[in-house]
């Protein structure tokens, strides 16, 4: 697909005017060349057009990022107010802040795609310019692109903040148990891993999906998160024969991979010496990754053997470290140092990337990491000197991605992000359902046994390698796949957020809800006719009938009206007062979005707040104010009706006695009310659901279509009646009668459908007998006309 068509398909309609006008620029480039040879004036004017488009796109991105930052700050202040003021910390308020954060997350995802596609557009149009004009604008336009860098826009920080606030909403402000830094000093890791490639178009969406189930792991919560906190640099060691490379690629018994890793900028003093061992003999053949920590100034002496493992262990023992930890650390340090000295290992490759880790603090059973901006940089001194004597890493390379100062021969920018799932299967941990759906979706491309070191070494030292990794052939294909229908982050036609096709599931939930409402109404009719009704009746069974939770359930929109209500008033966040004695739900219930949220709650009484978990029959609590939450409605017969006040209901009961049967026949009668079986004399209320205007318009269009046909028949009948002979007059009278019948029938169907729509009646909205009867009447009229004419 050509990029112009691709861009048109990927445009987010509300932002359409802010996109790069790619086709306009391409047509301008082509039109000028068709008229005359490309000259300096054309070049100058074309560059001006590019600069105008670049400024427009960049200003939009920065404005949107500022807006996202302001919305996140507002949510943070509001959540802090909830935590400081227990009277405003209600279930409903937490849910609404969660919905607001979800909308911000969707905007961040859309903005990331917007930025990437526009940056690609500038690259494409400049490349096309150079191809058609034989000029080198790709180098000449670099200063403008660096002045307004679209390729350096980072959305990780926003996602990290959203994740932290989202997790607070899930826990209703309660602190998350577990230590985020747990495992930082752990010496050995035994986990089953799987690796996947993710196309840059899908990176932010994958991050958002994972974030909805696992929080972003932040090791130091005392420090405000910065973009450099996600940077990871690893220097891999090997010898000139690449023995470690060959052993890892061939998966030899006991094959090692040794790297020196640090987190954050080059100034970081903590250096982790890590060793991956395939089928470690000291663990009965289990593969393991172990590591120890050194200070940056100790690394050179450690590599030369001057700083021994014994000295390292003695230092740890002097600090009062656990003897078992000291023993394990000594074993690892001695093993790595022995390998470095005996195999004559030296730095050969650096891998840099930004990592976003997702994990419950203190719980390492499930860990998901996503590495972006992966770059391989040469560290060897094979051809020429890159490091000075005694340097264990290059001093001229930091974390300034995309490393423009390095020539192409020195660095390789990997085109995909790398997703890695780590499960402690030896402890019986199975992959969660949401993770299984993610790795089976169109968003990821599985690459078994992918290794960063093997890939980078095979690229830079191909001529030295006897074997190459199998996945190099995968680099030639497009890892993108057709979008799955009901998976991922999408938007409805009205641009409301949808997660995993939530709109379709919401409709199924609504049908189930209305079916239960119909059952309740039928039971109420039986009660009204004199049948007995107890607390163990089908009414209660229907009321508390469990609904299968959806793992893909997405929260309703903050700005859109839902069953819970709308956000028309700013003080809505503080509308709930009082506390309930309801038992706190398991955080994992909300973590997987399986709770019954606002628009999936079946019936909510006015005395109870909405609940994000399964309905609890024994819930008791103080009354909660529900103003600005939505309008209460009564359950009537097989419908829902707006309930204004108790006085209005009493008045309706009086009018019910004067109700005319003909009004009930056409659907205009006053309905009955349902009493709350758990509180004598109380009316059971539910929350109002918004009906889209297009539903009423569809009913009107159907009515108008019938009237048009009736008018056509009436015109034919009047012409036959006024201008024909005796036989024609009879036929005209028949057609006029049919026209009148059609209009009356159309009015009846219009009123009945409107009545059903207003009361959310579960039933057939199609017309089974009307079209058939009309055809029979028309055929009968024609037969009568022919019979009289040829008699």
């Amino acid at each position: 697909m050509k990029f112009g068509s691709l861009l048109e398909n990927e445009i987010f309609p509300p932002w359409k005017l802010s996109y790069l006008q790619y086709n306009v620029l391409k047509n301008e480039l082509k039109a000028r060349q068709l008229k005359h040879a490309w000259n300096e004036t054309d070049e100058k004017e074309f560059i001006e057009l590019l600069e105008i488009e670049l400024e427009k796109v960049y200003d939009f991105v920065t404005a949107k990022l500022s807006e996202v930052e302001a919305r996140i700050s507002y949510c943070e202040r509001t959540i802090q107010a909830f935590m400081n003021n227990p009277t405003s910390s209600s279930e409903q308020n937490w849910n609404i802040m969660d919905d607001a954060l979800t909308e911000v997350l969707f905007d961040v995802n859309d903005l990331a795609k917007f930025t990437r596609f526009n940056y690609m557009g500038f690259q494409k149009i400049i490349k096309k310019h150079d191809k058609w004009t034989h000029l080198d604008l790709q180098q000449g336009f670099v200063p403008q692109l660096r002045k307004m860098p679209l390729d350096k826009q980072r959305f990780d920080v926003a996602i990290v903040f959203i994740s932290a606030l989202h997790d607070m909403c899930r826990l209703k402000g309660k602190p998350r148990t577990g230590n985020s830094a747990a495992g930082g000093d752990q010496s050995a890791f035994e986990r089953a891993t799987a690796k996947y490639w993710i196309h840059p178009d899908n990176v932010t969406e994958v991050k958002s999906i994972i974030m909805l189930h696992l929080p972003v792991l932040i090791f130091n919560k005392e420090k405000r998160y910065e973009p450099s906190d996600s940077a990871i640099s690893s220097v891999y060691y090997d010898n000139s024969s690449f023995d470690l490379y060959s052993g890892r690629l061939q998966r030899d018994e006991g094959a090692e991979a040794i790297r020196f890793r640090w987190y954050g900028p080059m100034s970081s003093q903590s250096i982790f010496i890590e060793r991956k061992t395939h089928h470690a003999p000291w663990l009965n053949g289990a593969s393991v990754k172990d590591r120890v920590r050194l200070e940056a100034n100790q690394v050179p002496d450690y590599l030369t053997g001057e700083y021994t493992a014994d000295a390292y262990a003695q230092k740890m023992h002097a600090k009062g470290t656990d003897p078992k930890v000291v023993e394990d650390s000594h074993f690892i340090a001695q093993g790595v140092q022995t390998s470095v000295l005996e195999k004559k290992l030296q730095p050969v490759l650096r891998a840099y990337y930004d990592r976003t880790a997702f994990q419950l603090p203190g719980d390492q059973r499930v860990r998901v990491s996503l590495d972006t901006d992966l770059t391989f940089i040469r560290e060897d001194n094979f051809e020429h000197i890159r490091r000075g004597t005694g340097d264990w890493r290059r001093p001229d390379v930091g974390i300034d991605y995309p490393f423009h100062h390095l020539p192409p021969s020195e660095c390789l920018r990997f085109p995909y992000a790398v997703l890695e799932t780590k499960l402690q299967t030896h402890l019986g941990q199975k992959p969660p359902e949401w993770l299984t759906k993610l790795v089976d979706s169109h968003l990821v491309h599985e690459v078994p046994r992918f290794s960063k070191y093997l890939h980078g070494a095979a690229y830079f030292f191909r001529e030295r390698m006897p074997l190459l990794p199998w996945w190099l052939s995968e680099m030639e294909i497009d890892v993108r796949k057709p979008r799955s229908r009901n998976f991922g982050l999408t938007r409805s036609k009205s641009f409301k957020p949808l997660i995993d096709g939530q709109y379709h599931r919401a409709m199924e939930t609504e049908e189930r809800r209305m079916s239960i409402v119909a059952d309740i109404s039928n039971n109420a009719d039986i009660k009204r006719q004199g049948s007995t009704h107890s607390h163990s009746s089908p009414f209660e069974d229907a009321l508390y009938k469990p609904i299968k939770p959806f793992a893909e359930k997405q929260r309703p929109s903050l700005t859109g009206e839902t069953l819970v209500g709308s956000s028309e008033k700013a003080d809505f966040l503080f509308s709930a007062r009082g506390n309930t004695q309801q038992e706190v739900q398991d955080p994992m219930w909300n973590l997987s979005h399986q709770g019954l949220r606002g628009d999936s709650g079946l019936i909510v009484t006015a005395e109870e707040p909405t609940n994000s978990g399964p309905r609890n029959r024994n819930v008791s609590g103080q009354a909660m104010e529900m103003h600005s939450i939505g309008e209460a409605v009564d359950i009537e017969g097989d419908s829902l009706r707006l309930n204004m006040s108790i006085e209005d209901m009493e008045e309706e009961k009086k009018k019910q006695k004067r109700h005319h049967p003909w009004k009930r026949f056409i659907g205009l009668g006053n309905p009955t009310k349902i009493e709350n079986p758990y509180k004598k004399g109380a009316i059971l209320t539910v929350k109002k659901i918004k009906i889209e205007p297009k539903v009423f318009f569809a009913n009107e269009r159907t009515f108008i279509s019938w009237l048009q046909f009736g008018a056509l028949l009436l015109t034919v009948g009047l012409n036959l009646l006024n201008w024909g002979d005796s036989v024609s007059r009879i036929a005209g009278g028949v057609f006029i009668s049919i026209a009148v019948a059609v209009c009356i029938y159309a009015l009846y169907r219009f009123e009945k459908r409107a009545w059903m729509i207003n009361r959310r009646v579960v039933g057939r909205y199609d017309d089974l007998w009307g079209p058939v009867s009309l055809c029979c009447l028309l055929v009968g009229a024609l037969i009568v006309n022919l019979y009289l004419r040829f008699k």
Side-chain angles (χ1 to χ4, degrees):
M1 181 185 294
K2 293 184 177 180
F3 181 77
S5 302
L6 176 64
L7 184 61
E8 289 292 332
N9 293 335
E10 295 294 336
I11 280 180
F12 183 42
W15 301 348
K16 184 175 183 179
L17 297 179
S18 299
Y19 279 81
L20 166 70
Q21 301 298 314
Y22 178 83
N23 289 329
V24 173
L25 292 174
K26 187 175 72 171
N27 293 335
E28 182 71 17
L29 189 63
K30 186 182 297 183
R32 287 175 180 263
Q33 286 191 316
L34 291 176
K35 291 181 180 179
H36 53 265
W38 193 264
N39 53 43
E40 293 183 2
T41 303
D42 295 330
E43 181 72 6
K44 181 180 180 181
E45 292 177 354
F46 185 77
I47 292 177
E48 289 178 356
L49 289 175
L50 278 178
E51 291 175 346
I52 292 173
E53 290 296 312
L54 179 60
E55 185 177 1
K56 177 187 71 175
V57 173
Y58 184 75
D59 288 345
F60 180 82
V61 173
T62 53
K64 277 296 178 181
L65 282 175
S66 299
E67 177 187 331
V68 167
E69 182 180 359
R71 292 165 67 185
I72 293 176
S73 298
Y74 168 77
C75 292
E76 184 178 11
R77 292 194 302 269
T78 306
I79 289 174
Q80 191 65 38
F82 290 169
M83 298 173 65
N84 296 334
N85 186 8
T87 59
S88 62
S89 179
S90 67
E91 183 87 14
Q92 212 155 28
N93 289 345
W94 284 112
N95 291 344
I96 285 183
M97 292 314 303
D98 204 6
D99 300 339
L101 290 169
T102 301
E103 288 195 352
V104 177
L105 182 65
F106 268 76
D107 286 345
V108 171
N109 180 52
D110 292 331
L111 188 58
K113 291 182 178 179
F114 173 90
T115 305
R116 171 166 174 76
F117 277 109
N118 280 281
Y119 179 69
M120 290 173 56
F122 282 106
Q123 289 183 316
K124 294 284 186 181
I125 196 63
I126 292 175
K127 184 178 179 181
K128 195 175 291 292
H129 165 276
D130 293 352
K131 179 180 178 182
W132 289 357
T133 64
H134 306 290
L135 298 175
D136 191 10
L137 183 59
Q138 197 161 9
Q139 292 298 325
F141 203 68
V142 168
Q144 290 89 328
L145 289 176
R146 290 187 177 177
K147 181 180 178 182
M148 292 178 279
L150 294 177
D151 58 329
K152 289 189 176 181
Q153 298 299 323
R154 296 288 302 273
F155 305 96
D156 299 356
V157 177
I159 291 179
V160 169
F161 285 137
I162 294 172
S163 173
L165 297 176
H166 183 76
D167 194 48
M168 294 175 65
C169 290
R170 278 195 293 245
L171 298 178
K172 306 298 182 292
K174 298 179 177 62
R176 168 75 71 178
T177 58
N179 183 9
S180 299
D185 292 322
Q186 187 173 345
S187 60
F189 301 86
E190 187 178 351
R191 295 179 292 209
T193 63
K195 297 183 179 180
Y196 307 84
W197 290 348
I198 301 177
H199 194 275
D201 294 350
N202 302 325
V203 168
T204 307
E205 183 173 357
V206 171
K207 284 185 180 180
S208 303
I209 292 173
I210 301 174
M211 192 217 73
L212 293 172
H213 300 87
L214 284 178
V216 175
L217 183 64
I218 303 176
F219 286 97
N220 187 4
K221 291 189 175 182
E222 302 298 327
K223 172 182 173 294
R224 188 169 182 85
Y225 184 84
E226 298 176 357
S228 60
D229 294 342
S230 64
I232 297 180
S233 303
S234 301
V235 176
Y236 289 88
Y237 278 64
D238 211 331
N239 52 32
S240 57
S241 301
F242 288 93
D243 293 335
L244 269 60
Y245 169 92
S246 301
R248 293 292 295 180
L249 182 59
Q250 297 175 142
R251 302 180 69 80
D252 296 338
E253 295 294 321
E256 293 180 325
I258 295 176
R259 67 191 178 198
F260 285 55
R261 167 176 289 186
W262 66 96
Y263 299 87
M266 290 282 288
S267 58
S268 175
Q269 295 301 309
S270 295
I271 308 299
F272 292 91
I273 303 176
E274 299 184 349
R275 176 183 62 180
K276 288 185 177 181
T277 308
H278 180 64
H279 293 174
W282 62 87
L283 291 177
N284 298 323
S287 298
V288 65
K289 182 185 81 172
D290 41 25
R291 67 180 184 179
V292 294
R293 179 189 298 188
L294 289 179
E295 296 296 324
N297 56 4
Q298 297 173 340
V299 174
D301 293 340
Y302 174 81
L303 291 173
T304 59
E306 296 181 10
Y307 185 65
T308 63
D310 294 338
Y312 176 72
Q314 290 176 3
K315 186 176 181 180
M316 293 185 65
H317 184 73
K319 291 181 179 179
T321 309
D322 184 7
K324 182 66 171 65
V325 176
V326 174
E327 181 183 355
D328 293 340
S329 300
H330 176 269
F331 173 78
I332 299 169
Q334 187 175 41
V336 173
Q337 191 174 54
T338 301
S339 296
V340 170
L341 297 177
E342 291 182 354
K343 298 178 181 179
K344 298 180 180 180
L345 303 183
Q346 58 180 303
V348 295
L349 180 74
R350 181 187 299 194
Y352 166 85
Y353 47 87
D354 290 304
R355 168 165 290 183
T356 306
F358 302 87
Q359 176 187 319
L360 291 175
D363 185 356
Q364 300 189 44
R365 291 176 298 173
V366 179
R367 178 185 172 93
V368 181
S369 62
L370 184 59
D371 300 335
T372 58
D373 300 336
L374 175 58
T375 306
F376 302 104
I377 303 171
R378 293 188 65 166
E379 289 273 354
D380 64 283
N381 283 341
F382 294 151
E383 287 83 9
H384 60 271
I385 302 300
R386 295 182 176 86
R387 293 172 288 102
T389 304
D391 290 336
W392 61 275
R393 60 183 176 183
R394 292 178 61 167
D396 62 328
V397 178
I399 61 172
D400 49 342
Y401 178 86
F403 307 101
H404 287 302
H405 64 285
L406 295 178
S409 60
E410 294 288 314
C411 71
L412 168 66
R413 299 173 187 88
F414 193 68
Y416 305 120
V418 179
L419 176 71
E420 186 173 0
T421 62
K422 303 174 184 178
L423 303 175
Q424 292 184 339
T425 53
H426 64 288
L427 299 179
Q429 178 63 42
K430 295 182 180 180
E433 182 181 359
W434 65 267
L435 185 57
T436 302
K437 290 183 178 180
L438 174 62
V439 299
D440 291 339
S441 71
H442 66 282
L443 297 173
V444 302
H445 178 76
E446 185 175 8
V447 187
R449 299 174 183 173
F450 172 76
S451 167
K452 297 182 180 72
Y453 171 60
L454 296 183
H455 185 89
Y459 177 82
F460 287 119
F461 313 105
R462 184 183 294 257
E463 68 281 355
R464 294 172 175 261
M465 303 302 184
L467 297 174
L468 297 176
W470 70 268
W471 59 79
L472 292 183
S473 59
E474 296 286 296
M475 300 295 295
E476 305 298 329
I477 66 174
D478 189 354
V479 300
R480 288 174 293 186
K481 305 171 187 176
R483 173 170 283 276
S484 303
R485 182 178 180 184
N486 288 327
F487 187 83
L489 306 184
T490 56
R491 290 185 182 268
S492 65
K493 292 182 179 180
S494 58
F495 310 117
K496 293 182 179 180
L498 302 177
I499 298 179
D500 298 347
Q502 190 267 343
Y503 177 77
H504 174 68
R505 294 181 180 275
M507 294 300 294
E508 292 180 347
T509 306
E510 174 61 11
E511 291 177 1
R512 178 72 175 274
R513 188 189 70 83
M514 291 308 303
S515 176
I516 294 178
V517 170
D519 293 340
I520 296 174
S521 302
N522 292 336
N523 290 328
D525 289 339
I526 295 175
K527 178 181 178 181
R528 190 168 54 252
Q529 294 171 3
S531 62
T532 60
H533 186 78
S534 65
H535 288 290
S536 59
S537 68
F539 179 91
E540 181 179 354
D541 296 335
L543 180 63
Y544 293 107
K545 188 175 183 180
I547 292 183
K548 183 180 179 181
F550 300 110
E552 306 88 338
K553 186 67 182 171
Q554 185 257 341
R555 299 162 176 78
S557 170
L558 175 65
T559 58
E561 185 175 354
T562 64
L563 185 65
V564 176
S566 63
S567 59
E568 296 177 356
K569 298 183 179 180
D571 60 350
F572 169 75
L573 297 173
F574 306 96
S575 62
R577 300 191 180 94
N579 296 322
T580 64
Q581 300 173 4
Q582 183 179 353
E583 184 179 10
V584 177
Q585 300 294 333
D586 185 356
M588 290 303 295
W589 176 269
N590 286 334
L591 194 61
S592 58
H593 302 295
Q594 294 178 347
L596 296 176
R597 300 295 303 274
D599 60 341
S600 61
L602 298 179
I603 296 176
V604 182
T605 61
E607 291 78 20
E608 298 176 357
T610 53
N611 183 15
S612 62
R615 193 177 181 92
N616 189 343
R617 296 190 187 191
N618 298 323
V619 173
S620 63
Q622 300 175 4
M624 173 177 288
E625 292 185 15
M626 305 296 288
H627 60 276
S628 302
I629 309 297
E631 298 175 350
V633 293
D634 290 331
I635 303 177
E636 335 158 329
D638 54 355
S639 63
L640 302 177
R641 191 183 70 83
L642 183 65
N643 174 27
M644 301 304 296
S645 64
I646 300 298
E647 292 77 6
D648 293 337
M649 286 185 244
E650 295 297 334
E651 185 66 23
E652 290 291 329
K653 290 181 180 180
K654 297 177 181 179
K655 292 182 179 179
Q656 184 73 16
K657 299 178 181 180
R658 305 191 298 270
H659 184 58
H660 299 286
W662 66 270
K663 288 186 178 180
R664 178 174 291 278
F665 175 74
I666 65 172
L668 297 177
N670 294 323
T672 58
K673 313 297 183 302
I674 299 301
E675 294 181 359
N676 189 336
Y678 305 104
K679 190 173 182 180
K680 187 175 181 181
I683 299 297
L684 184 64
T685 59
V686 299
K687 306 317 295 177
K688 180 183 177 183
I689 298 177
K690 178 181 179 180
I691 300 177
E692 296 292 337
K694 61 183 179 182
V695 178
F696 295 98
F697 294 152
N699 188 28
E700 290 180 3
R701 285 195 300 271
T702 305
F703 176 54
I704 293 173
S705 298
W706 278 81
L707 290 183
Q708 288 176 342
F709 190 79
L712 178 62
L713 289 179
L714 184 61
T715 303
V716 172
L718 289 175
N719 278 282
L720 291 175
L721 188 64
N722 293 326
W723 306 103
D725 53 14
S726 59
V727 175
S728 298
R729 292 191 184 93
I730 296 175
V734 173
F735 279 107
I736 291 174
S737 301
I738 295 175
V740 174
V742 166
C743 293
I744 294 175
Y745 179 76
L747 178 62
Y748 162 73
R749 292 297 304 179
F750 171 74
E751 293 292 344
K752 184 175 181 180
R753 285 196 184 101
W755 179 83
M756 294 172 67
I757 292 171
N758 281 321
R759 289 156 179 78
R760 287 77 162 176
V761 175
V762 179
R764 300 197 63 139
Y765 285 79
D766 56 339
D767 193 349
L768 295 177
W769 305 108
V772 176
S773 302
L774 179 59
C775 290
C776 292
L777 290 174
L778 290 177
V779 171
L782 291 175
I783 293 175
V784 170
N785 189 15
L786 293 174
Y787 173 77
L788 294 175
R789 177 62 63 186
F790 299 103
K791 179 179 177 181

